[in-house]
Amino acid sequence: MALSFIDGNEAIARAAVRAGCRFFSGYPITPATTIYQQMLKLLPPLKGVCLQGEDEIASIGFCLGASMAGLKAMTATSGPGISLYSEQISFALSGEIPLVIVDVQRLGPSTGSATKGADGDIQFLRWGSSGGLPVVVLAPVDVRDCYILTMHAFNLAEQYRCPVFIASNKEIGMTRESIEIDSLDTPDLLTRKYCPEDQPYLPFQVPPGTMIPPFLPIGGSRLVRQTSSTHDPEGYITADTDIIGQVIERLDKKLVTNVDTFTFFEFDSDPDAETLLLVYGVTARAAKTAVEQMRKGGKAISLLILKTLYPVPEDFIKQCINEVKRVVVVEMNLGQYVREIERLAESQHVSHFGKMDGELISPELIQQVIAL
Amino acid sequence: MDRLKIIKKNIMEKKTTILNLTEEEFVHSGNRACSGCGLSIIYRMGLKALGKNTILVVPPSCLTVLQGLYPVASTKLPCVNVTFASTGAAATGVRGAMKALKKENVNVVAWAGDGGTGDIGIQALSGACERGEDIIYICYDNEAYMNTGVQRSGTTPQGVLTTTTPIKGKLQEKKDVPAIIAAHGIGYVATASAAYPLDFYDKVKKAMTISGPRYIHVHTPCPPGWSFDTRFTIKVGKLAVKSGLFDLYEIEDGEFQLTGESKRLVGKEKPPVTDYFNSQGRFKSLDAELVKKVQERVDAKWAKY
């Protein structure tokens, strides 16, 4: 048993390497830079590659190339950089390229405040790519989550051949905590499925009963075509609307219909509660304290901490909110994830509290909001 | 005596000296730059030269830190802070608006670091140069991303230790950004050094007399990033020039000529590059072979002058 006193960024780096990540690239940006610095320490001894781009467009481009060649790849940035990633996020979606993207969110919009946290990019991560197809967004609460969710992120990227986001926050990324890595409940590692040697390879052909095409690396012994344009199973660009429609539908369904298998959460339910407090990210820590204090004061309240934000685990959320009459969503933005809850709620009253001023939301403030 | 001679010669050549430099200031004292910051020197001198009819366009960089947070903001001129990649483009827009509003005699001045100029910003700058935009672009080259904690940039010299080249130092050679800009065939390209602030001042003044894109690349020592004592900023900057590593020159309408201290060095014996390397911590992992190679490159370059 050994304790590590590390921050969220270091936890992400360590978990990435353990998950088999052997390629990292990035561009200097506060508060994500220390992920680069950690990867630079960890990757070269393992014969991995850690590369600095001349900008964010280059950095994510390196990752896409490396992933297409078969390596598990990761990049990390913050608001201004994630904006420049946008085109290549849709490239990864269309080309089904596994990739883990860490967004250590800082206060926006734009350059905002480099050293202040926020959860202002949540909807951007979901919708910030052309075409609007689903992506996976995981939101850690603390350093421990940074470690565990990063390992899951690599598994999901490999399993579903898609970009997976870790929606961290400056407050998690740059705060040190003690964690015991050996005792964490980490998943077994998954690797993308390769096309067997004895079978013909069509780059986007999906075997019957599955939704993910097997992979072969660009530059391997067999010819591989890769494109971000609308394509048929063979990887040729096509204008056939039937084929285009089928591929797009599959890209949507492969994640949305499977979200129940990767819905990460903490649900602390009180059967007497009429109110459910729903939070994610660093705000969950204040929420836990607030709930504890309210319960001490004799108030019944339930708490749902969501860690899989996208695709929205709709059935699971409905199940949780059906237990109560009122849902209070608290988040470090002016109302982003609450939109998902509003559309899922039936008879429940949904209220929201959010702020973006660079300060964490305190337990006291959460209690005041719930008392309203 | 030598120094007096130089001052007299400068006066004869109508160069700016400490005696005739304008007293007007456009930078408040007490800004947020680090002690010994080379950028502080050239920012003050550059704005003195540009004067009040100036609009600054500045991307994320140490300069945005130096410019400061209210109430310690340091610049007495209008300044737009733009995105990292867009300096040349945003300056283009400002100039376009000035034209549309018929505001003449306004200096539109982009002022960016080496990463913002030679890496992420080079596309927008190249576009502005190719279009012939009427802007002055000043790059202060402190040879790494200092604002985010000393990461290597395209203009970091070979062998330099940064937080992203921590063992052997940077493997690649310094990107020659002024040469790239000069290849656009614009009317004025110059290099300068924070250690020779009056030379920089005169180059800005000269740039103001020319229209179209003008580019000035300023070597800017950085005590924390280069690892030297804050009192040695000028000494280190001068050593880069005197050892022949960083040359002061102008390219006017395609005509190259050395200027100032570099011009005086032609045909003279220069201190070895090791004098410069030894003055800073960032070169401490240089091996003898690379030092020799750099010295040979410098000698070969100077053989052509």
Side-chain angles (χ1 to χ4, degrees):
Chain A
M1 184 193 104
L3 285 175
S4 299
F5 186 53
I6 58 176
D7 63 24
N9 284 354
E10 185 172 350
I12 287 173
R14 287 200 197 181
V17 169
R18 184 165 158 201
C21 175
R22 289 297 177 270
F23 189 95
F24 180 89
S25 56
Y27 185 67
I29 188 163
T30 307
T33 303
T34 50
I35 297 180
Y36 185 104
Q37 277 157 358
Q38 289 301 327
M39 293 306 273
L40 191 57
K41 277 187 204 157
L42 298 170
L43 280 180
L46 299 167
K47 299 198 178 352
V49 176
C50 186
L51 205 54
Q52 184 184 326
E54 69 273 22
D55 59 17
E56 281 89 354
I57 295 174
S59 301
I60 189 171
F62 297 165
C63 282
L64 292 182
S67 182
M68 286 188 280
L71 290 187
K72 289 187 181 182
M74 179 169 87
T75 181
T77 189
S78 191
I82 204 89
S83 313
L84 291 179
Y85 282 1
S86 174
E87 185 187 3
Q88 291 181 87
I89 294 167
S90 38
F91 184 99
L93 278 165
S94 174
E96 299 185 69
I97 303 166
L99 174 63
V100 174
I101 303 169
V102 186
D103 181 10
V104 188
Q105 296 170 92
R106 68 192 219 186
L107 184 65
S110 192
T111 37
S113 247
T115 53
K116 293 192 189 302
D119 283 330
D121 302 349
I122 297 303
Q123 289 281 1
F124 183 88
L125 296 181
R126 167 59 187 88
W127 296 104
S129 54
S130 63
L133 291 177
V135 294
V136 179
V137 180
L138 306 179
V141 166
D142 50 22
V143 173
R144 182 183 158 279
D145 274 353
C146 285
Y147 195 94
I148 297 170
L149 292 180
T150 299
M151 296 197 66
H152 282 293
F154 274 94
N155 277 357
L156 293 168
E158 293 289 309
Q159 198 179 348
Y160 294 102
R161 290 190 57 180
C162 65
V164 176
F165 292 96
I166 296 169
S168 186
N169 178 313
K170 177 255 156 187
E171 304 293 354
I172 303 169
M174 299 186 74
T175 303
R176 282 176 190 267
E177 293 180 72
S178 294
I179 60 165
E180 192 189 339
I181 290 175
D182 295 340
S183 72
L184 296 178
D185 183 16
T186 51
D188 293 335
L189 294 188
L190 298 174
T191 302
R192 61 193 85 167
K193 225 184 210 159
Y194 278 64
C195 177
E197 290 263 337
D198 56 353
Q199 283 176 23
Y201 183 62
L202 300 177
F204 296 99
Q205 177 75 54
V206 179
T210 74
M211 282 196 270
I212 323 291
F215 174 86
L216 278 184
I218 290 276
S221 56
R222 295 161 78 182
L223 182 65
V224 175
R225 279 178 292 276
Q226 182 57 275
T227 177
S228 63
S229 296
T230 49
H231 48 258
D232 63 14
E234 295 186 36
Y236 287 121
I237 295 174
T238 180
D240 184 318
T241 51
D242 284 345
I243 294 174
I244 293 172
Q246 283 164 16
V247 171
I248 299 287
E249 202 172 309
R250 178 176 63 77
L251 292 177
D252 179 73
K253 277 197 174 149
K254 73 175 181 180
L255 292 176
V256 171
T257 59
N258 283 311
V259 68
D260 288 347
T261 65
F262 56 89
T263 300
F264 305 110
F265 63 89
E266 285 176 45
F267 186 35
D268 179 1
S269 170
D270 179 338
D272 297 330
E274 294 194 344
T275 298
L276 170 72
L277 173 60
L278 194 156
V279 290
Y280 59 88
V282 72
T283 310
R285 306 178 68 152
K288 279 184 190 171
T289 306
V291 164
E292 194 183 313
Q293 284 166 356
M294 281 185 283
R295 283 176 181 166
K296 269 187 198 156
K299 191 169 167 45
I301 184 158
S302 291
L303 172 66
L304 173 59
I305 299 168
L306 262 189
K307 299 183 182 180
T308 299
L309 299 184
Y310 293 103
V312 179
E314 297 187 357
D315 294 342
F316 171 70
I317 291 175
K318 276 184 192 164
Q319 205 181 310
C320 296
I321 64 180
N322 276 342
E323 292 181 7
V324 294
K325 292 182 175 159
R326 175 188 177 219
V327 183
V328 181
V329 181
V330 179
E331 51 186 338
M332 281 177 79
N333 55 53
L334 298 187
Q336 295 194 14
Y337 204 74
V338 67
R339 290 163 170 264
E340 312 295 351
I341 309 305
E342 279 166 347
R343 72 184 172 82
L344 295 174
E346 289 165 10
S347 59
Q348 297 82 9
H349 178 260
V350 178
S351 60
H352 175 262
F353 176 78
K355 69 184 188 111
M356 266 176 76
D357 57 5
E359 271 196 355
L360 288 166
I361 297 171
S362 67
E364 292 70 32
L365 200 49
I366 294 175
Q367 287 184 66
Q368 284 170 25
V369 168
I370 289 174
L372 285 176
Chain B
M1 199 55 200
D2 263 0
R3 182 168 292 186
L4 245 177
K5 264 188 202 160
I6 291 170
I7 291 173
K8 275 184 191 163
K9 192 163 173 281
N10 283 345
I11 291 170
M12 295 295 286
E13 289 176 0
K14 291 186 182 161
K15 301 254 187 208
T16 304
T17 69
I18 200 72
L19 301 174
N20 59 4
L21 178 69
T22 170
E23 284 183 21
E24 198 172 6
E25 298 284 356
F26 295 94
V27 184
H28 291 286
S29 54
N31 64 56
R32 282 162 53 98
C34 308
S35 301
C37 174
L39 173 60
S40 269
I41 301 167
I42 59 164
Y43 192 51
R44 181 180 170 211
M45 296 308 275
L47 298 198
K48 271 175 179 284
L50 290 162
K52 68 175 170 34
N53 290 330
T54 299
I55 297 174
L56 292 166
V57 179
V58 178
S61 57
C62 288
L63 182 50
T64 51
V65 178
L66 188 158
Q67 287 176 332
L69 304 174
Y70 182 82
V72 288
S74 65
T75 308
K76 298 186 197 173
L77 292 173
C79 176
V80 232
N81 285 137
V82 299
T83 67
F84 213 178
S86 73
T87 313
T92 297
V94 172
R95 171 55 77 200
M98 291 300 110
K99 272 184 202 158
L101 294 166
K102 299 200 174 6
K103 288 192 178 175
E104 286 166 13
N105 302 322
V106 176
N107 304 308
V108 176
V109 180
W111 198 313
D114 46 290
T117 300
D119 292 346
I120 191 169
I122 199 164
Q123 178 171 312
L125 170 58
S126 173
C129 290
E130 187 270 335
R131 288 190 304 273
E133 301 294 345
D134 192 18
I135 58 172
I136 297 174
Y137 194 110
I138 296 169
C139 169
Y140 71 95
D141 183 5
N142 52 24
E143 301 187 325
Y145 292 85
M146 298 311 185
N147 186 25
T148 46
V150 200
Q151 291 85 18
R152 60 90 91 187
S153 78
T155 71
T156 303
Q158 194 171 15
V160 163
L161 295 171
T162 68
T163 54
T164 53
T165 53
I167 314 282
K168 286 171 123 178
K170 191 185 160 193
L171 300 176
Q172 301 81 6
E173 287 181 49
K174 181 180 172 80
K175 187 193 276 194
D176 191 348
V177 179
I180 294 169
I181 303 308
H184 290 75
I186 65 175
Y188 188 72
V189 172
T191 60
S193 163
Y196 299 95
L198 296 175
D199 174 70
F200 170 62
Y201 178 93
D202 281 339
K203 284 169 176 165
V204 175
K205 279 284 184 202
K206 185 185 270 187
M208 289 164 66
T209 66
I210 299 166
S211 61
R214 289 142 285 168
Y215 179 81
I216 305 176
H217 192 97
V218 196
H219 195 237
T220 309
C222 166
W226 294 11
S227 185
F228 64 81
D229 201 282
T230 53
R231 69 202 154 108
F232 293 135
T233 303
I234 298 294
K235 189 181 164 192
V236 167
K238 283 189 172 176
L239 263 175
V241 174
K242 287 185 174 172
S243 62
L245 274 162
F246 188 89
D247 307 335
L248 306 177
Y249 62 79
E250 287 178 324
I251 305 173
E252 269 185 273
D253 293 325
E255 287 293 314
F256 176 97
Q257 63 161 355
L258 291 174
T259 59
E261 186 65 26
S262 293
K263 196 176 176 180
R264 286 191 280 276
L265 284 171
V266 179
K268 291 198 180 135
E269 196 172 327
K270 292 179 284 297
V273 291
T274 44
D275 282 12
Y276 177 65
F277 294 155
N278 293 338
S279 69
Q280 303 151 66
R282 64 175 176 153
F283 288 106
K284 69 179 176 204
S285 75
L286 278 186
D287 58 37
E289 201 184 325
L290 184 56
V291 170
K292 190 169 162 259
K293 217 188 263 179
V294 174
Q295 186 66 64
E296 281 166 7
R297 276 186 217 137
V298 167
D299 294 343
K301 179 180 71 178
W302 277 83
K304 290 182 196 154
Y305 288 152

